[in-house]
Amino acid sequence: MSRIGKQPVPVPNGVKVDIKGTHVKVTGPKGSLERDLRPEISCTEEGNQLLFTPKGTSKRVMAFWGMTRSLVSNMVEGVDKGFVKVLIVEGVGYRANLAKSTLTLNVGFSNPVEFQLPEGISAEVDKDNKISLSGIDKELVGLTAAKIRAIRKPEPYKGKGIRYVDERIVRKVGKAGAAK
């Protein structure tokens, strides 16, 4: 039994869920999201809750049960509140600038790196070089943040690079000759 799959997904006021077979469309104040669910899992709406039931008891079906519930739960939360990921650009001379939907990163390469933000993702850059990515699709927000971080991963000696705000970099000791 899936502990996550058994739990109902509460639908807040102002969020509308349309279920047509295996297709689910969630509409809320921030926008709408659609997804095709696995045919092994059925979704029903009872009152202001969504319930998920598996069609079978195989290990594969049980694995998809909790995953499907989590995906729909993220859709409901996204159209209601949205998701935010914060990245920090750290290093001497490292900067981030935003012009429309193009993020320009000066992170130690000979030329600045221009990153085109996907549709549905908005960004803000503080003067402290904090990049705040926000959107209604949790999957897309996380993927965009990971792609930006991959441009210059934080290095373990000085911690320079692009990191998540809650990420802790394990530092390494430099050369042995530097201590003398």
Side-chain angles (χ1 to χ4, degrees), residues 87-142:
L87 297 162
I88 297 175
V89 180
E90 221 172 324
V92 177
Y94 285 19
R95 287 188 313 277
N97 296 315
L98 182 68
K100 293 184 183 174
S101 66
T102 303
L103 185 65
T104 307
L105 299 165
N106 296 321
V107 285
F109 298 118
S110 58
N111 294 318
V113 178
E114 292 192 356
F115 183 84
Q116 189 67 34
L117 293 173
E119 194 173 315
I121 300 293
S122 59
E124 295 176 8
V125 178
D126 298 6
K127 59 181 177 179
D128 302 333
N129 280 334
K130 282 189 181 179
I131 304 168
S132 299
L133 301 171
S134 58
I136 61 172
D137 189 356
K138 185 175 187 176
E139 207 172 329
L140 187 60
V141 171

Side-chain angles (χ1 to χ4, degrees), residues 50-100:
L50 296 175
L51 299 175
F52 297 89
T53 52
K55 298 176 184 173
T57 57
S58 71
K59 198 170 187 177
R60 178 181 168 88
V61 171
M62 292 298 167
F64 286 130
W65 186 17
M67 182 191 75
T68 303
R69 186 248 179 230
S70 294
L71 291 173
V72 175
S73 175
N74 287 339
M75 289 169 61
V76 170
E77 187 180 339
V79 297
D80 188 34
K81 299 175 190 163
F83 294 100
V84 177
K85 281 272 191 188
V86 181
L87 297 162
I88 297 175
V89 180
E90 221 172 324
V92 177
Y94 285 19
R95 287 188 313 277
N97 296 315
L98 182 68
K100 293 184 183 174

